[in-house]
Amino acid sequence: MSTAQETSVQESPVQHGTTFDALRTQLQEAATAFADGPDALEGILLGIVDDVDRAVREPLEVFPVCHHSPASAVAMARRLREKQPKVVYLELCEDMAPLLTELRNCRLPVAVQAFASEVDGFPAEWAPLSVVAPITEASAEYQAIAYALDTPGVELVLVDRSSDHVFQWQADDAAARSAGEPADPDTPPTAEPRFAELEEHLLHHGRVRHWSEWWHQYVELPLGDSDHDTYRQVMLLIGSLFRRLAPGDPARVRVDEDRERYMWTRMREHLAASGTDPADCLYVCGAFHAASRVAEFGVHGADTFEISAPSASTWQYGLIPSSHAAIEAQFGLAAGSVSIAATQWAKNLKRTRIRPFRLAGQAGTKKAAKPRKAAPTPAAPEPASDSAADMLSGFLRRPPVLDRLDEAELLGWSVEIVRAARRAGYLASTADAIAVFETSILLAGMRDRAKPTPYDFQDAAITCIEKDTVPGRRDVRRLVEIMMGGDRIGQVGYDALPPLARDVHDRLAPLGLRLQQRGVQRALLDMASRPELEKCSDVLWMLRHLMPQGTARPIMGERRLGERPIQESWDLALGTHQRALIELGYEGVSIEQVLEQRLRRTAYGPQATTATVLQAVEDATLYLRSRRLADELGTRALEILATERSVDGAPEVLRRVRRLLAYYRTGEPVLPAWIESFAKTGYAHYCTLLPTAFTDEDATVRQVAAMLGFLFSMEGLALSLGCDRTQLELAFAQSHPQEPAKVALLWAARVHLGQLSRTELRARCDELLGNPLVVPAYPRYLSGFLHALEPVPQLADFVVEAVSNAFARLPDPVLLPWLPTLITTLRSDGAELAPLLIREAGRIFPGRLAALDTWVPPWLDQPAVAAVLPARGRAAALLTAHPQTCDAVADLLGCGGTWTAPAPARAGAALVTRHPDTAQALEALLAARQR
């Protein structure tokens, strides 16, 4: 940066002439009379006069403005028609210049935006970077832009620091603060008043609530009809006052002064390159910067400010819709102040009959009426003179002009607010309109105003109409803001949209909707009768994935792997979320490109996990139908899986890899190589982590169950690819869980592996229920069995049995506290577990209420059957009644004789006697079929 930063702020001496001598004397006397310590106050007041004197003597005319001020806009339009400058220097980021011509394709208010999603040279947490400069019709900046762009031979030059330098200086300031840079030693502590004290004083004595109301009453209205010299000197006075009373933060002062050095350096460079006479130029900037005190002030500055090179960040530029509310939030204004300013702008134009400048073809603006008489030829601009007239002394001595009451306007406001209140649900009447009218006049009189301002009217309406409650969505304050102009929202035209946004509008054109319109629109897509709408469906699903919630919301229809849509219904709000669509265009030229970039960024990001990369694989297949990208991201998922040392994402990994495997098996002739490697690597990976996960307190039961689900469901594929089942057996041999839920999960897994029979598992559960010391922990075992349905779904009947036994045998002090855990488990895993349990319970339990009294659970009926089956029991009686079965079996086994022969010759009966288990199993099967 420049060495001028390291020098102390110095005020160049002003050649005191006769222009402001009277004002200096007057302020000096006032400081002596009203201040306890006149030295500080006198220095501020005389310094302000010096700043004004210095600015008005500058050969290049400095035009101070207040952003989004109708008084500044009127003064700008008047001055441009009088002076007709050849070059307009504007305080706006210099890299935004190419976008200004696109303003004619937009409806104001809009904002010029610089956006960088990928940063280089700045902290990564700052991304994305964004600089926004809103523009309204009631702003001096727009008047200067419209004049320069539509007037032949006029050049518009943006001179403020670029968007990249905005963040460069922020980074430098952050580095200085983190390094503990001390305050400027040449700036000792001072007892001078600051702006906060002045603001408090002005608000108190002006009897206003906030700064926007004070500015409207004491600056906007008086300057709305003033001449150019008066306006300019008053705004310079205000800018110098704000500057001298600003908080004494050295970093803030350094940034403000560097901005001024930057702008004057750019202007001197342009003047030297073009050879333009400074008298033919106009410099438009904020009043704060117009009263600059830096040594490089002016076109004849001695030093040159060194401007650093831009960083390697890639910046994108575009126009985005703005609104009055957004402008108020950005500039710290009161709610509704910008809408009131827009109303005041229209009044100023009507009162002063000044023709404003508007860009040719500007959307949403009224065409200027042709003057009845020929406009007089503007006089040639007078050369700059050091003896400019002192307009400040008269302005400051003049008492405030009391505008006469406009009864028609106030009456119209009163009637309109009552009408709006009735529509909003208030019980307002004509009497309320009269009360609002009279109360507005009363409040204005109490505040020393002859004419009620919109803020007085707002207070009166709240007092007279709003009672204890607000019946609708809007209170009276909001109704007044809407009535005064409301929150106007701009719109960027089709021609000014980035290529991506135009491409989206073109591809959605078959829907026949007005996509630029704000609000929600319903789109019906019948792909069966109109196959061309399937491409619109693809765009909508990608927009739903990329855009904020509510931009594209599916009402009917879904997109799954391997399925093709038939009919869909959507709610679209592209016009409402136009800014998000424009910012999406900064990332690429098509939504497919942006989606691919985001999927890659997710997969290769530092926070990427196996589950998130598999989700990216699924999205690439689902939305882009790109096998190339899916294979690339799948390989990335395989790399991350091999390096993970935790099982946090195991449930999500299992769910997604199952879905992808099912899709490839049904839709592809051969499985992709990456998913085969994923199954093989995952099998070995989870076998290695299984013993640790069973004993790790941080690993939940659901995560361990997901690991087992992966191992059991991928076992066939993994073994076919060369894996060894011994790995799994060794992992189970090394697993020794202590938590009851994981113990139950291990038992269920061993049943699946054949290491534990169902009879043994049932016996262990009965043993747990029979042990009074273990009964309080039994619900935790049941939670493990519930999670076991993920890897071992064939145990659903046993889980139903275990839960039923728990409800039958557990005491209430144990059962009731467990019920919330059971419910939460079923809710969290309901999509996978609840259907299995419900289906199995429906098969086991009786379907009618009357049969419930005589119903015996099958797990209770089996021991009774075994007890009544001796060598010749019920099964033998059953076979005696049907001898053909035993005769046929005996013949197959090579035994002679018939069932009806004498007892010694009954081979079938002999078989039943020697092998009763067969008869018992047959009877149990028949009994189950009868139930």
Side-chain angles (χ1 to χ4, degrees):
M1 305 300 287
S2 172
T3 56
Q5 295 183 21
E6 303 172 2
T7 61
S8 61
V9 176
Q10 50 181 318
E11 297 188 31
S12 59
V14 178
Q15 299 294 332
H16 296 296
T18 60
T19 304
F20 294 101
D21 285 348
L23 181 60
R24 286 190 182 90
T25 303
Q26 178 185 357
L27 294 178
Q28 195 169 14
E29 293 175 355
T32 305
F34 294 103
D36 297 334
D39 293 339
L41 183 58
E42 181 179 343
I44 292 176
L45 295 179
L46 296 182
I48 291 174
V49 179
D50 291 342
D51 292 341
V52 176
D53 195 4
R54 183 183 185 188
V56 298
R57 293 173 185 273
E58 174 61 36
L60 192 158
E61 181 178 338
V62 181
F63 193 95
V65 300
C66 174
H67 302 300
H68 310 290
S69 165
S72 295
V74 169
M76 174 60 71
R78 181 195 300 114
R79 184 56 178 166
L80 290 173
R81 294 194 181 278
E82 293 175 355
K83 183 180 178 67
Q84 296 186 356
K86 298 178 180 179
V87 178
V88 177
Y89 298 112
L90 184 61
E91 179 197 343
L92 193 63
C93 292
E94 58 184 358
D95 52 338
M96 295 180 176
L99 284 175
L100 298 182
T101 57
E102 297 293 340
L103 287 174
R104 66 180 78 253
N105 298 319
C106 306
R107 185 175 67 241
L108 301 180
V110 296
V112 187
Q113 183 185 38
F115 189 89
S117 57
E118 298 181 1
V119 298
D120 187 355
F122 303 108
E125 58 270 15
W126 287 12
L129 307 180
S130 177
V131 178
V132 176
I135 297 175
T136 62
E137 186 180 3
S139 65
E141 291 85 352
Y142 176 74
Q143 295 300 307
I145 292 171
Y147 164 79
L149 295 183
D150 283 352
T151 304
V154 176
E155 185 177 3
L156 177 65
V157 182
L158 306 187
V159 295
D160 200 0
R161 54 187 176 162
S162 67
S163 305
D164 194 88
H165 285 92
V166 171
F167 291 96
Q168 279 190 35
W169 293 6
Q170 286 187 13
D172 295 341
D173 181 57
R177 292 179 183 273
S178 62
E181 179 180 291
D184 189 351
D186 296 331
T187 307
T190 176
E192 294 181 357
R194 294 301 179 188
F195 180 75
E197 301 172 15
L198 174 65
E199 181 181 9
E200 181 181 359
H201 179 84
L202 293 177
L203 295 184
H204 174 72
H205 291 277
R207 298 175 182 175
V208 294
R209 294 168 298 173
H210 43 71
W211 179 255
S212 298
E213 184 176 357
W214 185 92
W215 184 270
H216 173 82
Q217 178 67 23
Y218 296 101
V219 178
E220 285 294 338
L221 297 181
L223 291 182
D225 298 327
S226 62
D227 59 274
H228 168 67
D229 290 335
T230 302
Y231 165 84
R232 186 184 178 201
Q233 294 177 19
V234 170
M235 290 300 293
L236 288 171
L237 176 85
I238 294 174
S240 178
L241 178 65
F242 289 175
R243 188 183 192 92
R244 291 179 177 272
L245 297 183
D249 184 0
R252 172 67 184 273
V253 172
R254 182 173 59 249
V255 171
D256 290 333
E257 293 175 351
D258 283 349
R259 285 185 63 187
E260 290 149 12
R261 294 185 179 99
Y262 192 108
M263 290 187 283
W264 280 107
T265 299
R266 290 304 192 200
M267 285 186 282
R268 287 196 292 268
E269 291 175 352
H270 180 269
L271 289 173
S274 62
T276 307
D277 186 357
D280 295 332
C281 303
L282 188 67
Y283 171 34
V284 183
C285 65
F288 186 91
H289 298 294
S292 175
R293 296 178 289 157
V294 298
E296 292 83 0
F297 184 91
V299 295
H300 302 300
D303 299 331
T304 301
F305 183 67
E306 181 181 350
I307 299 176
S308 61
S311 69
S313 299
T314 302
W315 287 90
Q316 304 287 339
Y317 301 92
L319 294 170
I320 59 174
S322 186
S323 65
H324 289 175
I327 296 172
E328 291 160 359
Q330 181 175 350
F331 288 87
L333 305 176
S337 58
V338 178
S339 299
I340 294 175
T343 305
Q344 186 65 33
W345 160 253
K347 292 181 180 178
N348 289 349
L349 293 181
K350 185 177 181 180
R351 184 174 61 253
T352 61
R353 297 184 179 180
I354 292 177
R355 289 186 296 116
F357 291 94
R358 293 188 176 96
L359 288 171
Q362 179 79 59
T365 59
K366 299 178 181 179
K367 295 183 178 179
K370 295 183 179 180
R372 297 180 180 178
K373 297 181 180 180
T377 303
E382 299 179 359
S385 174
D386 291 344
S387 59
D390 177 12
M391 309 300 294
L392 276 177
S393 299
F395 182 85
L396 295 177
R397 290 196 191 98
R398 187 175 60 205
V401 179
L402 299 179
D403 295 337
R404 64 182 184 84
L405 174 64
D406 190 346
E407 293 187 359
E409 179 187 55
L410 183 58
L411 185 62
W413 286 356
S414 303
V415 173
E416 183 62 29
I417 189 58
V418 169
R419 183 182 295 114
R422 291 182 64 85
R423 287 197 299 265
Y426 289 90
L427 299 178
S429 61
T430 305
D432 293 311
I434 298 174
V436 171
F437 180 88
E438 298 294 341
T439 305
S440 300
I441 299 176
L442 177 63
L443 289 177
M446 295 172 61
R447 296 167 179 173
D448 296 333
R449 303 170 190 165
K451 177 182 178 181
T453 66
Y455 299 97
D456 298 326
F457 172 76
Q458 187 180 61
D459 291 341
I462 294 173
T463 302
C464 300
I465 298 177
E466 192 171 279
K467 306 300 189 268
D468 296 336
T469 59
V470 177
R473 294 185 298 112
R474 300 185 177 100
D475 58 7
V476 175
R477 182 183 303 277
R478 179 60 183 151
L479 292 176
V480 173
E481 292 175 4
I482 295 175
M483 190 189 73
M484 291 294 175
D487 184 18
R488 287 184 199 166
I489 301 176
Q491 185 183 70
V492 179
Y494 175 85
D495 295 331
L497 291 174
L500 181 144
R502 293 200 299 267
D503 179 62
V504 168
H505 282 273
D506 294 341
R507 294 167 67 178
L508 294 180
L511 298 178
L513 301 177
R514 299 177 61 184
L515 299 177
Q516 291 272 44
Q517 180 178 336
R518 295 183 58 82
V520 179
Q521 302 180 73
R522 178 64 57 87
L524 303 176
L525 286 73
D526 185 4
M527 276 76 75
S529 60
R530 297 181 61 188
E532 67 274 9
L533 294 181
E534 187 172 348
K535 295 182 179 179
C536 296
S537 173
D538 296 338
V539 174
L540 292 176
W541 282 109
M542 285 187 281
L543 288 177
R544 179 179 179 269
H545 185 82
L546 296 171
M547 297 281 286
Q549 185 178 5
T551 305
R553 184 167 65 93
I555 304 302
M556 180 186 69
E558 59 182 352
R559 177 154 291 197
R560 293 180 178 179
L561 289 174
E563 298 182 0
R564 305 295 292 181
I566 299 177
Q567 287 184 334
E568 291 177 354
S569 176
W570 291 80
D571 275 351
L572 301 180
L574 286 180
T576 304
H577 298 275
Q578 190 183 48
R579 172 173 180 171
L581 182 61
I582 292 172
E583 291 181 347
L584 199 66
Y586 298 154
E587 302 182 40
V589 296
S590 67
I591 52 177
E592 288 84 0
Q593 180 187 4
V594 174
L595 181 56
E596 183 173 341
Q597 290 176 353
R598 290 195 179 182
L599 293 178
R600 279 202 174 92
R601 192 180 306 129
T602 300
Y604 291 93
Q607 304 297 327
T609 62
T610 306
T612 57
V613 179
L614 286 177
Q615 180 180 359
V617 174
E618 186 174 346
D619 292 340
T621 306
L622 197 61
Y623 302 121
L624 298 177
R625 299 189 178 97
S626 173
R627 177 67 180 273
R628 170 191 54 81
L629 181 60
D631 290 347
E632 177 187 341
L633 299 180
T635 305
R636 173 62 179 169
L638 180 61
E639 296 173 358
I640 296 180
L641 177 66
T643 59
E644 284 186 342
R645 291 297 176 263
S646 67
V647 295
D648 295 341
E652 188 72 10
V653 170
L654 173 63
R655 183 170 64 89
R656 294 196 178 277
V657 78
R658 276 180 175 173
R659 194 153 52 206
L660 288 169
L661 187 60
Y663 167 74
Y664 286 126
R665 279 176 170 169
T666 56
E668 301 286 343
V670 180
L671 289 178
W674 75 265
I675 202 167
E676 292 182 349
S677 301
F678 191 92
K680 183 178 178 180
T681 304
Y683 186 83
H685 179 71
Y686 285 129
C687 282
T688 304
L689 296 180
L690 188 61
T692 305
F694 266 118
T695 57
D696 188 5
E697 295 181 356
D698 295 333
T700 64
V701 181
R702 185 167 180 261
Q703 292 170 353
V704 179
M707 293 176 60
L708 294 175
F710 185 94
L711 292 172
F712 294 161
S713 60
M714 297 289 174
E715 185 176 15
L717 179 59
L719 294 180
S720 67
L721 295 173
C723 290
D724 191 354
R725 199 169 193 266
T726 308
Q727 283 185 286
L728 185 61
E729 295 175 353
L730 289 175
F732 275 97
Q734 296 172 358
S735 301
H736 304 288
Q738 299 295 327
E739 186 181 353
K742 293 183 180 179
V743 171
L745 189 60
L746 180 61
W747 291 349
R750 286 181 173 172
V751 170
H752 175 78
L753 295 176
Q755 299 176 358
L756 191 69
S757 66
R758 286 201 175 203
T759 304
E760 294 173 336
L761 182 60
R762 186 176 291 109
R764 292 188 180 186
C765 293
D766 292 339
E767 182 181 354
L768 294 175
L769 285 173
N771 188 345
L773 298 178
V774 184
V775 164
Y778 188 73
R780 296 166 64 187
Y781 286 92
L782 288 181
S783 298
F785 286 129
L786 286 175
H787 284 96
L789 293 179
E790 179 72 59
V792 193
Q794 59 268 27
L795 281 182
D797 58 340
F798 176 80
V799 175
V800 173
E801 174 187 342
V803 173
S804 301
N805 287 335
F807 276 91
R809 299 175 60 180
L810 286 178
D812 289 345
V814 176
L815 182 63
L816 294 180
W818 172 64
L819 288 179
T821 304
L822 174 65
I823 295 173
T824 54
T825 302
L826 291 176
R827 286 188 62 183
S828 61
D829 305 317
E832 295 82 9
L833 305 182
L836 290 174
L837 290 177
I838 294 173
R839 184 165 55 249
E840 188 63 27
R843 190 184 67 82
I844 293 178
F845 290 97
R848 297 181 179 276
L849 183 62
L852 188 61
D853 295 334
T854 59
W855 175 75
V856 178
W859 55 85
L860 295 181
D861 193 26
Q862 291 176 3
V865 173
V868 298
L869 282 177
R872 296 289 303 270
R874 294 170 56 192
L878 182 63
L879 293 177
T880 302
H882 304 280
Q884 295 83 359
T885 303
C886 279
D887 290 342
V889 173
D891 291 339
L892 290 175
L893 297 177
C895 300
T898 60
W899 179 259
T900 56
R906 292 174 183 172
L911 286 174
V912 172
T913 304
R914 292 196 300 271
H915 305 285
D917 294 341
T918 304
Q920 296 174 12
L922 178 61
E923 183 177 7
L925 180 61
L926 293 176
R929 292 288 180 85
Q930 290 176 358
R931 285 193 294 270

